[in-house]
Amino acid sequence: MSAIEMNVPDLGGPGEAEVIELCVEPGQMLSVDDSVVVVESDKATIEIPASGAGKVQSLNVSVGDQVKTGDLMLMLEPAEGEVSEKNDSDGGQQSNAQSALPETGQPTVSMPEPAPEPPARSEPARSGHELPGSPAKESMVYAGPAVRKLARELGVPLDKVTGSGPRGRLLKDDLEAFVRAQMEKAERVAGTLPEVKLPDFAAFGPVERAPMSRLHQATAKSMHRSWLNVPHVTQFDHADITALESFRKAQKSEAERKGLKLTLVPFLLKAIAYALRAYPQFNVSLDIERNELVYKHYVHIGVAVDTPEGLMVPVVRDVDCKNLWALAEELTELATLARDRKLKPDQMQGGCFTLSSLGGIGGSGFTPIVNTPEVGILGVSRSDWQPRFNGESFEPRQMLPLSLSYDHRAVNGADAARFTTLVGKLLGDVRRMLL
């Protein structure tokens, strides 16, 4: 039985289309309506089906070829009993199925066998030497052109996805479910990496093991998660707090009368609150799944507290609405509760930004880790006296190191520099906070 030509059908216009995918290979058995090639024009992606059943004798197109209506795609050796129709491009050849005139004088025609259904997704025809994820293997997947295009855009290997449509056909929902599953798997892996194999420390000398407290474990997991998920950048700066310290010390007697201790922290909180109002891009959280920024119209600031059990971060609410004395009183209460392990869950939730002050301990700067889903944290180190030029001469000034770490997905470097500059100006002259 002679082979028949299978040509490119009407593409809906005189222009050419590019072959972007081959769905068959020489020697493969085809059924009617099986996908042969996928072409892409400037208007649409078109999946060309087989117009007959049989074995592919030869392929006459390759990926990247430009084809038009009537071009030869492949030569097909028709299945036994298959009637060859006229070729659209050259007037066609006569079918090998001949009409017969028996003694009755009535013509009879051999009828083609019913075309088998397209192969199920789980059992596509393939050669025995294909590699997982190979183009030949993917071409056997039962999927439409829109799904194939989406898979190329997402970088999803079609042969790795299980179809939920009729006869195992792949749907867009299947691709989306596959991508979600891979992302969840990546998150689980990221949550356990990097893993470090420990040596036998006892081989080098005496050792002792002690269990990590639950607070220590929770802090370690939270910091690890934030560090893996947030692209951190740290902006360093200094604030001149010479005048502020003079004012603060002058309030010592008033603080004693109120039974309070006025530290630098309430001033820092007020300056941060002012800056958060001035630069609301720091008072947000990222919703990556919905591609949205969540802007918060309140100012709650977490304050890291060092306790014997580990780091705790109580949250001071509505900082912008409270005066220095109210903040000093609340900070004292929260710090006491933290050290006594008596903080309630709601007293550690709802923060918009975090302050981590190591000024009472030491250091000249550090890179604090963002407390996600917040996008910023200000680290403060110990102040010291430095010579500063005033335009005529050098004079001693008390300088406070600032370290602002931020999530670079939400905040750019220019805004971070503006933020620390504003905080420095506010601490340099607290009267600015009244403006």
Side-chain angles (χ1 to χ4, degrees):
M1 188 176 294
S2 61
I4 60 174
E5 297 180 356
M6 190 172 294
N7 302 321
V8 177
D10 185 5
L11 298 177
E16 293 185 333
E18 180 183 353
V19 177
I20 61 173
E21 191 171 339
L22 297 177
C23 305
V24 297
E25 59 183 4
Q28 180 178 328
M29 293 301 298
L30 278 182
S31 299
V32 176
D33 291 334
D34 279 357
S35 297
V36 177
V37 299
V38 181
V39 299
E40 190 171 53
S41 68
D42 57 352
K43 295 181 180 180
T45 300
I46 304 170
E47 184 174 346
I48 301 178
S51 58
K55 181 189 291 186
V56 178
Q57 192 176 79
S58 64
L59 271 174
N60 296 79
V61 292
S62 303
V63 173
D65 287 354
Q66 297 291 326
V67 297
K68 62 182 181 298
T69 301
D71 283 354
L72 179 63
M73 290 191 302
L74 57 82
M75 298 298 293
L76 185 70
E77 182 180 326
E80 184 177 353
E82 180 74 11
V83 178
S84 300
E85 297 182 357
K86 292 184 178 182
N87 189 292
D88 292 336
S89 60
D90 60 4
Q93 301 172 347
Q94 291 294 327
S95 169
N96 289 326
Q98 301 294 326
S99 299
L101 289 174
E103 295 179 358
T104 59
Q106 298 297 322
T108 61
V109 181
S110 60
M111 299 300 292
E113 295 180 2
E117 290 187 351
R121 163 66 177 84
S122 57
E123 297 180 352
R126 60 185 67 181
S127 64
H129 58 274
E130 291 167 359
L131 298 175
S134 66
K137 201 172 184 182
E138 289 190 10
S139 69
M140 298 299 101
V141 174
Y142 190 24
V147 173
R148 292 178 181 276
K149 183 177 181 181
L150 179 60
R152 289 194 300 274
E153 293 172 351
L154 296 175
V156 174
L158 288 176
D159 60 311
K160 302 298 183 184
V161 186
T162 301
S164 62
R167 298 193 300 277
R169 186 177 181 87
L170 281 188
L171 308 176
K172 288 186 177 180
D173 289 344
D174 300 327
L175 293 181
E176 293 169 356
F178 178 83
V179 171
R180 282 196 299 271
Q182 294 302 309
M183 291 179 67
E184 290 172 0
K185 180 180 178 181
E187 285 183 6
R188 290 194 297 271
V189 172
T192 60
L193 297 176
E195 182 180 350
V196 178
K197 292 188 177 297
L198 299 179
D200 180 10
F201 296 109
F204 311 115
V207 298
E208 179 183 354
R209 287 181 174 269
M212 295 172 63
S213 67
R214 293 180 63 184
L215 177 59
H216 193 174
Q217 293 178 50
T219 301
K221 290 179 180 179
S222 176
M223 293 297 99
H224 192 204
R225 181 173 60 250
S226 294
W227 184 254
L228 287 174
N229 288 282
V230 174
H232 281 71
V233 180
T234 304
Q235 170 74 21
F236 298 98
D237 210 333
H238 285 83
D240 186 342
I241 60 170
T242 308
L244 186 156
E245 281 295 272
S246 296
F247 173 76
R248 184 181 68 84
K249 291 175 181 178
Q251 306 305 310
K252 184 176 181 180
S253 59
E254 180 68 14
E256 291 176 350
R257 188 180 69 81
K258 293 178 178 290
L260 299 172
K261 184 178 181 181
L262 187 60
T263 66
L264 182 62
V265 176
F267 294 91
L268 288 166
L269 289 179
K270 291 296 289 185
I272 292 170
Y274 190 104
L276 288 175
R277 289 297 192 190
Y279 298 107
Q281 57 267 48
F282 283 87
N283 197 11
V284 303
S285 287
L286 284 168
D287 188 338
I288 296 298
E289 290 186 0
R290 299 174 62 176
N291 291 320
E292 292 178 349
L293 286 169
V294 181
Y295 284 88
K296 301 161 190 174
H297 298 297
Y298 51 86
V299 180
H300 304 338
I301 301 176
V303 181
V305 176
D306 182 33
T307 75
E309 298 296 324
L311 187 67
M312 303 190 76
V313 186
V315 175
V316 183
R317 283 172 157 68
D318 301 314
V319 174
D320 55 331
C321 302
K322 297 174 180 176
N323 62 34
L324 292 171
W325 295 117
L327 291 174
E329 182 178 7
E330 189 170 349
L331 283 167
T332 300
E333 294 174 355
L334 289 173
T336 301
L337 291 172
R339 294 188 180 97
D340 293 341
R341 298 294 303 277
K342 293 182 179 180
L343 282 172
K344 298 177 181 179
D346 62 344
Q347 292 176 307
M348 295 184 289
Q349 297 173 351
C352 307
F353 192 93
T354 298
L355 169 65
S356 180
S357 177
L358 299 179
I361 302 174
S364 58
F366 64 107
T367 54
I369 296 178
V370 172
N371 187 21
T372 186
E374 299 168 15
V375 299
I377 179 172
L378 182 67
V380 178
S381 300
R382 173 176 287 179
S383 63
D384 64 344
W385 289 91
Q386 298 179 12
R388 294 282 165 159
F389 190 67
N390 60 17
E392 296 180 356
S393 61
F394 285 94
E395 60 178 339
R397 306 297 295 180
Q398 190 169 356
M399 306 302 294
L400 180 70
L402 305 176
S403 305
L404 173 68
S405 289
Y406 56 93
D407 186 339
H408 210 345
R409 296 173 301 176
V411 179
N412 61 47
D415 286 336
R418 295 185 185 102
F419 189 94
T420 55
T421 298
L422 177 57
V423 170
K425 289 180 178 179
L426 295 170
L427 295 175
D429 188 349
V430 293
R431 295 172 297 180
R432 291 177 179 269
M433 299 185 202
L434 301 175
L435 299 176

